[in-house]
Amino acid sequence: SGTESLLVNHAFLEVGGRTEKLLIFESIVPLTTATVLSCSFYAKVSDLHTEVYKSQETAMANPLVAFTLIKRLHSEWLNVVYSDEALENTQALRSSYEKEEAGLPKLEDLQGAAKGLMRLQDVYALQVASLVRGHFRSVTNGQATDIYMPDVSVPLSGDDCFLVGKVAYDQEDYYHSVQWLEESVRLFRGSGGEWSPENEGTLKDALDHLAFSHFKVGNVSYALSLSQELLHHDPVNGRVLQNVEKYEKLLMERPHISNRGGGLRRPASKYLRTRNTYERLCQTQGSQPVHFENPRLFCDYFTSGSPGLLLGPVKREVLSLQPYVVLYHDFITDAEAEDIKMLAQPGLRRSVVAAGEKQATADYRISKSAWVKDSAHSVVGKLDQRISLLTGLNVTHPYGEYLQVVNYGIGGHYEPHFDHATSPSSPVFKLKTGNRVATFMIYLSSVEAGGSTAFIYANFSVPVVEKAAIFWWNLHRNGQGDMDTLHAGCPVLIGDKWVANKWIHEYGQEFQHRCSLNPEE
């Protein structure tokens, strides 16, 4: 379908890891020494579970580790189970696989994971050649810099890179397909073109897709060279012979196009006008420009004048005055955060965005979310009460929406958007309590890298602070939307990001958040 209809989250990956372990150690009969290729696959996977997955949480926080697990569960096991090399153990192998098949990742999961890697590549300016080796490194002015050095990582195979490149290729995204297929060809060449039963692609497949990708970006001479190499492996391929003839004719007629197109250029975004600012703020990972240092920004112990907070004031950090953004440290306990995640887990579904009067999935919002009512558990009511004490606002339904719990998987993000409705037909107005006047977002987990909240026009970003909560006003006192609240959830680079959103509406706040005498405010 070309869309990421399902986002694989951390809990799903943990289950997947246990499923794979079950397939290896409990359900599969020992293989005979004749099945050499299959043995190498099982040995590789067994080693991963012995070494890499020792700390499952740390391992699954790495998008490269998570991607390779999804790929194995979706296609590599399937290929091995139904390969000729598995004939010695056909029945035991297939029955074991089929028992687990319904719970394994689907094609959409695998494509979504591949798109997640490409998103991380773009937003954090990651070098593909380094990613393939298991490193998170960017290159600026010819200088390589390690953005993050994970405790646990894995290199990608030629087939892994082929899959990512093919996802881009199928979307006619040749900027990404060239880079990933180049690595695929390099790795397949390095293995002597040796085929393994778990692989989807081969050196021939990678050469074929890479040659056409180069042709599409204007590198005709290199497309010709790759096609000629492909003919060495498949000399009677009529389509490739026709391509070679076409490329040679083009080079004869227009020799000026023989060069490699002046290098790859990332295509402009069709809808994200603030892409450069968004990515710069994500790359700072929360560090602020010097000119934002302001003596009017401060930290204190906050009571809001409420008797309920006098004995236990909250640590408040004022991050910005325009828009007004505040961070409340240690807002939630570890136990409460775990309870909220547990309550949300069964209801997690792909997050949607407003599309006219309806709601729909979109590539610019990649996460899973669930709505949790205050009647679901006493902890939800306690959080609502705490939010009301801090903000002085009425957060009971329908003046406050139910708690929305969100989990961001591989490359999970939410590109620049407003929380308040900007159209009269927005679903936000279905509650008939006005627009979203304020946002209260609770961080239920920490992340090791990425995942900042970036305020685009205000030009600052806030890193994920575990157990903290961030609050801001979406509307001016006159009810108009505050354009400076345009914000984004940066892609998670390493980690498992969980947040809970409480959106508070205009109605019900008449005496808590009064209008100003100045109609311009």
Side-chain angles (χ1 to χ4, degrees):
S1 64
T3 61
E4 297 161 65
S5 66
L6 199 63
L7 181 83
V8 180
N9 62 17
H10 186 77
F12 186 78
L13 293 174
E14 284 189 355
V15 173
R18 290 195 292 273
T19 297
E20 183 171 50
K21 200 167 184 178
L22 184 71
L23 281 168
I24 303 164
F25 297 118
E26 295 177 14
S27 302
I28 296 175
V29 295
L31 297 175
T32 64
T33 53
T35 57
V36 178
L37 287 173
S38 295
C39 280
S40 67
F41 173 70
Y42 301 133
K44 176 185 82 172
V45 177
S46 297
D47 287 346
L48 283 169
H49 281 270
T50 304
E51 300 297 329
V52 176
Y53 300 157
K54 276 192 293 190
S55 171
Q56 196 165 67
E57 189 169 339
T58 303
M60 290 310 152
N62 186 321
L64 301 175
V65 177
F67 169 77
T68 54
L69 173 61
I70 293 167
K71 179 170 172 283
R72 278 201 314 280
L73 290 174
H74 173 261
S75 58
E76 292 185 8
W77 275 101
L78 183 68
N79 293 337
V80 168
V81 165
Y82 290 97
S83 69
D84 292 339
E85 282 73 19
L87 287 177
E88 297 281 341
N89 307 279
T90 299
Q91 278 313 114
L93 206 55
R94 292 181 186 176
S95 63
S96 298
Y97 181 84
E98 285 161 4
K99 282 179 192 174
E100 307 292 341
E101 192 171 10
L104 298 181
K106 306 296 185 286
L107 177 62
E108 290 86 356
D109 298 317
L110 186 55
Q111 291 173 337
K115 291 176 186 177
L117 289 183
M118 289 184 274
R119 187 178 306 114
L120 293 175
Q121 170 197 342
D122 289 343
V123 173
Y124 296 106
L126 299 176
Q127 187 184 45
V128 174
S130 298
L131 269 179
V132 170
R133 292 171 173 83
H135 306 301
F136 296 85
R137 185 173 294 162
S138 67
V139 176
T140 308
N141 301 323
Q143 191 73 27
T145 307
D146 282 315
I147 290 180
Y148 186 77
M149 300 185 69
D151 295 330
V152 175
S153 195
V154 292
L156 301 183
S157 68
D159 193 55
D160 295 334
C161 296
F162 174 72
L163 187 139
V164 179
K166 189 171 184 304
V167 168
Y169 179 94
D170 289 343
Q171 293 188 307
E172 299 182 358
D173 173 8
Y174 303 112
Y175 169 78
H176 288 104
S177 70
V178 163
Q179 296 177 74
W180 286 92
L181 291 169
E182 286 275 15
E183 290 301 315
S184 176
V185 166
R186 179 184 66 80
L187 290 164
F188 275 134
R189 282 172 179 159
S191 66
E194 181 181 313
W195 178 80
S196 296
E198 68 268 22
N199 287 354
E200 289 272 314
T202 63
L203 175 59
K204 289 191 291 185
D205 294 325
L207 285 168
D208 194 6
H209 286 76
L210 180 59
F212 190 72
S213 295
H214 272 294
F215 168 69
K216 293 298 287 186
V217 298
N219 301 338
V220 182
S221 60
Y222 196 46
L224 173 62
S225 173
L226 291 165
S227 298
Q228 289 169 333
E229 181 182 350
L230 177 53
L231 284 177
H232 284 297
H233 299 280
D234 190 5
V236 294
N237 189 315
R239 181 176 51 78
V240 178
L241 285 166
Q242 285 181 339
N243 284 346
V244 166
E245 188 179 330
K246 178 172 75 173
Y247 299 154
E248 287 176 337
K249 187 177 178 181
L250 278 171
L251 291 171
M252 287 280 289
E253 293 172 352
R254 289 180 280 168
H256 63 278
I257 67 169
S258 63
N259 292 329
R260 301 189 66 175
L264 282 176
R265 285 181 294 275
R266 185 178 168 195
S269 173
K270 294 177 182 176
Y271 58 90
L272 184 54
R273 290 174 295 174
T274 57
R275 184 174 77 179
N276 291 344
T277 303
Y278 161 61
E279 293 180 354
R280 174 178 57 78
L281 290 171
C282 289
Q283 288 168 21
T284 63
Q285 298 187 25
S287 60
Q288 306 309 321
V290 174
H291 66 269
F292 273 90
E293 291 181 358
N294 185 331
R296 295 172 64 199
L297 303 180
F298 59 89
C299 298
D300 67 357
Y301 283 94
F302 181 66
T303 65
S304 76
S306 166
L309 292 174
L310 286 175
L311 293 177
V314 174
K315 289 179 277 187
R316 176 177 67 166
E317 182 180 354
V318 179
L319 301 173
S320 170
L321 298 174
Q322 181 51 42
Y324 183 74
V325 181
V326 181
L327 189 71
Y328 297 108
H329 292 266
D330 297 321
F331 172 80
I332 191 170
T333 66
D334 288 325
E336 288 170 335
E338 289 305 313
D339 284 343
I340 294 295
K341 288 192 281 187
M342 182 186 68
L343 288 169
Q345 196 87 52
L348 286 173
R349 300 290 183 273
R350 171 74 189 274
S351 297
V352 295
V353 298
E357 294 183 19
K358 299 180 180 178
Q359 294 183 314
T361 59
D363 280 350
Y364 62 82
R365 186 182 191 187
I366 302 296
S367 61
K368 277 187 160 186
S369 59
W371 296 91
V372 180
K373 295 183 178 181
D374 51 6
S375 58
H377 194 284
S378 61
V379 69
V380 184
K382 287 179 183 176
L383 292 181
D384 277 354
Q385 187 179 27
R386 207 172 298 157
I387 294 170
S388 186
L389 284 174
L390 280 174
T391 62
L393 298 175
N394 182 354
V395 303
T396 57
H397 192 79
Y399 307 116
E401 295 178 34
Y402 293 126
L403 198 66
Q404 187 199 50
V405 182
V406 186
N407 180 217
Y408 296 84
I410 299 172
H413 73 140
Y414 195 173
E415 286 183 355
H417 64 283
F418 296 106
D419 281 357
H420 63 272
T422 55
S423 163
S425 62
S426 169
V428 166
F429 293 114
K430 283 185 177 178
L431 285 176
K432 301 190 185 304
T433 51
N435 211 336
R436 290 171 172 169
V437 68
T439 294
F440 198 96
M441 184 170 72
I442 308 164
Y443 295 113
L444 302 175
S445 67
S446 62
V447 298
E448 294 182 57
S452 297
T453 301
F455 287 84
I456 309 303
Y457 295 146
N459 198 30
F460 72 96
S461 55
V462 184
V464 174
V465 180
E466 188 177 16
K467 297 187 290 185
I470 187 170
F471 170 82
W472 66 88
W473 297 107
N474 293 309
L475 307 179
H476 294 295
R477 286 185 178 271
N478 62 9
Q480 297 298 309
D482 185 345
M483 295 298 105
D484 285 337
T485 62
L486 184 74
H487 65 286
C490 297
V492 179
L493 186 58
I494 300 283
D496 183 31
K497 181 181 175 182
W498 288 81
V499 301
N501 294 308
K502 187 74 175 182
W503 285 302
I504 305 158
H505 284 235
E506 292 176 281
Y507 299 177
Q509 321 305 334
E510 291 83 358
F511 299 105
Q512 283 85 357
H513 186 62
R514 296 174 184 272
C515 297
S516 167
L517 294 175
N518 181 353
E520 298 302 316
E521 288 184 352

